[in-house]
Amino acid sequence: TFFDMPKDLPAKAVASISKDKLAKWAVETEIVPSKGAATRTGQWKVTLLTLPDATQALSAYDEWRSAGYHVSLLPIPATNGYEYQLRITQLATRADAVFVAESLRNKLGTNSPKVSH
């Protein structure tokens, strides 16, 4: 059974669901191993870009966030100040990180994403 609570409408009654529908919904909501799962304790990351200045880095950060990616921006000490790395972090396994890196290669200016632990 399931309960449907549409936004801005009265709740619907508890209803039965077919096994096929349940299987379809499970695929949509379950974390699939090695397909880019991020977890609170995940220790793998993908560095998407390393940029030389803060303005470019913030622009890239905004672009990736607007596209729906949970990226973080990290300043890294460099010879003449800082470089800025745009990363996706907390990936559960190396396989998840590799999947993310390969999936995002050549998107939004990323040519060679790097996987690390």
Side-chain angles (χ1 to χ4, degrees):
T1 59
F2 75 103
F3 180 72
D4 187 8
M5 181 75 181
K7 186 175 181 178
D8 300 327
L9 294 174
K12 296 182 180 180
V14 173
S16 296
I17 184 172
S18 71
K19 287 183 180 182
D20 290 339
K21 185 79 163 182
L22 178 61
K24 180 178 184 252
W25 284 355
V27 168
E28 293 173 359
T29 59
E30 294 298 318
I31 296 174
V32 179
S34 302
K35 295 291 184 190
T39 64
R40 186 172 0 146
T41 59
Q43 296 184 9
W44 288 88
K45 64 183 170 271
V46 176
T47 300
L48 300 166
L49 297 167
T50 300
L51 299 161
D53 71 62
T55 302
Q56 287 178 341
L58 289 170
S59 178
Y61 173 85
D62 289 342
E63 184 177 21
W64 280 86
R65 293 294 286 215
S66 292
Y69 295 99
H70 185 76
V71 294
S72 57
L73 192 57
L74 183 68
I76 305 291
T79 307
N80 296 323
Y82 288 92
E83 292 181 332
Y84 300 86
Q85 289 186 348
L86 189 67
R87 298 175 171 179
I88 294 178
T89 61
Q90 295 183 298
L91 296 162
T93 66
R94 183 179 190 290
D96 288 306
V98 168
F99 178 83
V100 168
E102 291 303 317
S103 297
L104 298 178
R105 184 178 307 281
N106 298 320
K107 290 190 179 171
L108 301 175
T110 299
N111 298 322
S112 343
K114 294 170 184 62
V115 170
S116 60
H117 190 253

